[in-house]
Amino acid sequence: MRGGMSWDELWPLLVNGTLETLYMVGLAALFTVLIGLPLGVLLFISRRNGLAPMPTLNAVLGSIVNVGRSLPFIVLLIALIPFTRLLIGTTLGSTAAIVPITIGAFPFFARLTENALDEVEYGRIEAILSMGGNLWHVIGKALLSEALPSLLASITLTVVMLIGFSSMAGVIGGGGLGDLAIRYGYQRFNDQVMVGTVVILVVLVQGVQMAGERLVRRLAHRR
């Protein structure tokens, strides 16, 4: 096997790559939710027939989200190199990769959030408004509360996507399992590294999917 290495050499590389991937995905997921959730709520309430109609703002935000979702992530990675360097000081490493990963993911999550809020029964909203509730009461006690299972499912789907994004970030030296697969697997023709990274990525995706589905089922059952 070309480029073969012993288990003692391979194991530290896989552990380090996995930890870097978890670091990237964890922080990117946090920032994605912090940006995408309020953006999705704003998209929902600012519709022409929404709770706080702002058609112009809705059109602008909708266009930004649609453009962000339509760009292939590999193109976005390269296009954001100057911005990442300006923000972080470098384009290499797992910390720098968080920037394009987050920017590539938050439009997707914002649209998922908007769709999740669409599932909330309008009667719940009307009940809060009839009791003198304001917009913030509606958002907190009706929209986000009632849509929580769907939002958790959306977060699960987003995290799975982020794992894929973190792997692609290896193309520009973003660290993690993707970078490991490219530098030690592809470029050195090392099948052990390639197989190891693929197996770990599959396990990560399956683990996130199973945990997310269990949380959604448990929450839906309690409700």
Side-chain angles (χ1 to χ4, degrees):
M1 182 181 296
R2 291 177 295 178
M5 59 175 63
S6 67
W7 176 249
D8 290 338
E9 295 173 311
L10 178 61
W11 173 249
L13 292 175
L14 292 176
V15 170
N16 185 65
T18 301
L19 292 176
E20 287 186 348
T21 294
L22 293 175
Y23 167 72
M24 285 188 289
V25 171
L27 282 183
L30 175 62
F31 294 138
T32 295
V33 172
L34 289 178
I35 299 172
L37 183 63
L39 180 56
V41 172
L42 187 55
L43 282 169
F44 179 80
I45 66 174
S46 64
R47 294 172 176 176
R48 190 175 299 275
N49 59 343
L51 297 169
M54 291 176 280
T56 302
L57 177 62
N58 186 272
V60 171
L61 294 178
S63 298
I64 294 173
V65 167
N66 289 337
V67 170
R69 293 174 63 208
S70 64
L71 287 175
F73 183 65
I74 190 65
V75 174
L76 191 64
L77 272 175
I78 298 171
L80 289 174
I81 285 177
F83 178 71
T84 302
R85 184 181 292 114
L86 177 66
L87 192 64
I88 304 297
T90 180
T91 60
L92 301 177
S94 53
T95 299
I98 293 172
V99 175
I101 292 174
T102 301
I103 294 176
F106 84 79
F108 177 78
F109 182 70
R111 194 62 81 185
L112 289 179
T113 298
E114 183 185 14
N115 293 338
L117 298 181
D118 265 329
E119 299 176 6
V120 177
E121 293 184 7
Y122 196 74
R124 175 69 171 168
I125 298 174
E126 289 180 325
I128 293 177
L129 291 175
S130 66
M131 291 186 291
N134 57 30
L135 179 61
W136 295 109
H137 291 137
V138 172
I139 292 174
K141 297 182 179 180
L143 294 179
L144 297 181
S145 177
E146 295 296 317
L148 189 55
S150 295
L151 289 173
L152 284 177
S154 298
I155 291 174
T156 300
L157 182 60
T158 301
V159 172
V160 169
M161 183 183 68
L162 289 173
I163 294 174
F165 280 3
S166 71
S167 300
M168 283 187 276
V171 173
I172 61 169
L177 292 169
D179 185 54
L180 178 63
I182 292 172
R183 288 194 296 118
Y184 287 88
Y186 176 73
Q187 294 179 353
R188 301 185 185 184
F189 304 101
N190 192 319
D191 296 335
Q192 291 170 301
V193 173
M194 292 297 291
V195 171
T197 53
V198 168
V199 169
I200 294 174
L201 286 170
V202 170
V203 170
L204 287 178
V205 169
Q206 292 299 316
V208 168
Q209 192 69 49
M210 291 174 61
E213 290 176 353
R214 179 172 296 180
L215 284 174
V216 171
R217 286 197 303 267
R218 181 175 299 177
L219 183 61
H221 178 70
R222 288 180 179 178
R223 298 172 71 87

